[in-house]
Amino acid sequence: MTTTTSSPATATLPPLAELQQAYAELKARGLALDLTRGKPSAEQLDLAEPMLALPGVGQHTDDTGTDTRNYGGLDGGLAIRRIFAELLDVPVEQLLAGGNASLTLMHDVVAYAELFGFPESPTPWAREETVRWICPVPGYDRHFTICEALGIEMIPVPMTADGPDAEAVAALVADDPTIKGMWVVPTYSNPDGAVVTEDVARALVSMPAAAPDFRILWDNAYAVHHLTDDEVTSPNVLALAERAGNPDRVLLFASTSKITFAGAGVSFLASSPANLAWYKKHLSAASIGPDKINHLRHALFFGSAEGVREHMRRHREILAPKFEAVVQILAERLGAYGVASWTEPKGGYFVSLDVAPGTASRVVELAKEAGIALTPAGATHPYGKDPENRNVRLAPSMPPLEEVRTAMDGVATCVLLAAAEAGSAR
């Protein structure tokens, strides 16, 4: 569900001196633009502003009669769980609602495994001599940060248009019990916008794994973040895992971070009953319950799953023109020279740009000197090391549209100059 534009060269690069002059003019503009992270813009955040008046006075009781102001309810508010159970295609009784960040849930799941192991683990992971994790690349840098922070060795595998290379993953996990899990972003993956097909999902949940406690952390962060009328969905992975005889293999995560307020949303964890019992057992030592008032606030604001879908169509009206501008400028400025390729995602928050091999770090450096902040080269790979030094993640969501246009025109100049410099060096 993503297209990659990669055209053969039909023109030679402009002379190096001409590109250096264009870059000098770019620097002289004194820009201060930021395409580093996939943050919602102020205009998007304003869409949820009415939620701040909720719940009103006397509306603190949810539809189960629970007083949301008090302790308890480790599963989270039922009303918001019902809404997102429909959107995520999971049973409501297998869905927990937590705090504002699904990243926290993911970190805690891995940390609990390190401290205690899963029920079928021979020993807590921290007592294993080596624990390794499969990381599809290009991928999400914060996933890699969790592994690195907890001392887990990362193994990159290629992403394809259909999701992680399932054959490569299966070959790795079949005979190596030190490989305990993998990351998957199934819908509009970060950064290339791929959507995992049902065939790939089925292969991942059914493949033999040497580690009895092998887990897939299924980060469905962009489940409803569509940029076109084609509102795609990823496979029902929990049902596929259960049918494959591996019901405990998958833990699914999502949040409203890029739906309502990034700093005050609701996170979700869905999995098998056994995994949820394990998670709540360890969570109960740290929490008596999540922010149920925020859960109720969100449920009242959305009203239903369709309310979420309609809200996200308003997001799309803001976001889609920015992504269209990115693709248009890349095509106009770079398409003829064969020095770059880029994705044209149908959803999510990023465009993945591949520049001339060996030049990504130079592109980022040039952009920074010209006042355009980009995600560091290598951020889409474990340990920040892109072996080809060519991938740059673009995040056009936060700046206003005209700033996106200005920034992307500048980025294109930097890509051309870096390619010309590399050619001259050879």
Side-chain angles (χ1 to χ4, degrees):
M1 291 298 171
T2 186
T3 301
T4 299
T5 297
S6 180
S7 303
T10 58
T12 57
L13 283 171
L16 179 60
E18 181 180 323
L19 291 171
Q20 288 171 333
Q21 177 60 34
Y23 179 69
E25 293 171 0
L26 174 66
K27 287 181 66 176
R29 297 176 65 180
L31 300 176
L33 305 174
D34 190 341
L35 297 179
T36 55
R37 298 216 70 87
K39 295 180 180 179
S41 65
E43 190 178 2
Q44 290 174 263
L45 298 173
D46 286 345
L47 296 175
E49 197 75 12
M51 195 174 67
L52 293 178
L54 299 172
V57 175
Q59 287 187 293
H60 48 263
T61 302
D62 69 14
D63 57 1
T64 67
T66 298
D67 187 337
T68 60
R69 300 171 300 179
N70 219 326
Y71 289 127
L74 208 58
D75 289 347
L78 181 58
I80 195 65
R81 287 164 51 220
R82 283 173 175 156
I83 291 171
F84 274 83
E86 178 178 335
L87 293 167
L88 298 170
D89 197 19
V90 298
V92 67
E93 63 273 12
Q94 290 178 230
L95 180 68
L96 307 183
N100 74 300
S102 57
L103 187 69
T104 301
L105 296 180
M106 289 181 266
H107 174 275
D108 287 353
V109 163
V110 182
Y112 292 162
E114 287 277 311
L115 289 169
F116 311 110
F118 284 99
E120 68 274 36
S121 296
T123 187
W125 291 3
R127 296 180 185 174
E128 300 271 8
E129 184 175 344
T130 303
V131 174
R132 303 202 291 168
W133 200 270
I134 291 175
C135 298
V137 294
Y140 181 29
D141 54 333
R142 294 205 180 265
H143 288 165
F144 307 151
T145 298
I146 290 175
C147 288
E148 194 164 4
L150 296 174
I152 296 173
E153 180 183 327
M154 292 178 275
I155 307 170
V157 298
M159 276 291 290
T160 75
D162 296 329
D165 184 333
E167 290 186 5
V169 174
L172 286 165
V173 304
D175 301 312
D176 189 346
T178 70
I179 299 178
K180 298 292 190 177
M182 70 176 295
W183 299 110
V184 176
V185 181
T187 313
Y188 308 133
S189 67
N190 178 351
D192 60 7
V195 177
V196 173
T197 64
E198 185 162 332
D199 285 345
V200 168
R202 185 179 294 107
L204 294 175
V205 299
S206 61
M207 63 189 178
D213 48 358
F214 178 81
R215 293 295 192 271
I216 298 173
L217 270 60
W218 191 267
D219 183 6
N220 209 356
Y222 311 106
V224 293
H225 299 68
H226 312 293
L227 291 170
T228 73
D229 290 329
D230 183 13
E231 298 184 355
V232 303
T233 57
S234 57
N236 185 336
V237 69
L238 295 188
L240 290 174
E242 185 171 10
R243 287 199 290 270
N246 295 311
D248 302 331
R249 177 166 289 185
V250 177
L251 297 103
L252 182 153
F253 303 86
S255 79
T256 70
S257 292
K258 292 182 173 67
I259 298 175
T260 54
F261 298 132
V266 180
S267 60
F268 300 96
L269 165 61
S271 195
S272 67
N275 277 342
L276 294 184
W278 168 87
Y279 175 77
K280 288 192 290 183
K281 172 186 175 182
H282 299 301
L283 177 65
S284 66
S287 173
I288 305 174
D291 184 350
K292 298 185 296 298
I293 293 177
N294 197 34
H295 294 177
L296 178 59
R297 179 183 299 124
H298 277 74
L300 292 170
F301 177 68
F302 292 129
S304 65
E306 185 55 34
V308 177
R309 296 185 188 102
E310 182 55 37
H311 184 75
M312 294 309 295
R313 291 176 189 125
R314 297 172 69 194
H315 275 259
R316 186 179 75 192
E317 291 172 2
I318 298 169
L319 283 171
K322 297 180 182 183
F323 280 81
E324 290 165 3
V326 170
V327 171
Q328 178 186 2
I329 291 169
L330 289 174
E332 290 175 353
R333 293 289 316 279
L334 304 180
Y337 301 112
V339 296
S341 61
W342 54 90
T343 56
E344 299 183 27
K346 292 187 175 182
Y349 259 62
F350 306 98
V351 172
S352 183
L353 172 65
D354 280 341
V355 297
T359 68
S361 56
R362 179 59 175 157
V363 169
V364 172
E365 178 186 31
L366 288 168
K368 180 180 180 181
E369 292 175 1
I372 304 169
L374 298 176
T375 304
T380 57
H381 288 67
Y383 310 107
K385 296 179 180 178
D386 175 0
E388 294 186 274
N389 188 19
R390 66 176 310 190
N391 187 252
V392 178
R393 187 183 72 186
L394 303 173
S397 58
M398 191 174 179
L401 177 58
E402 285 310 307
E403 289 189 8
V404 171
R405 294 184 187 278
T406 300
M408 286 310 306
D409 191 61
V411 168
T413 296
C414 296
V415 170
L416 292 173
L417 177 55
E421 289 176 341
S424 296
R426 289 193 296 268

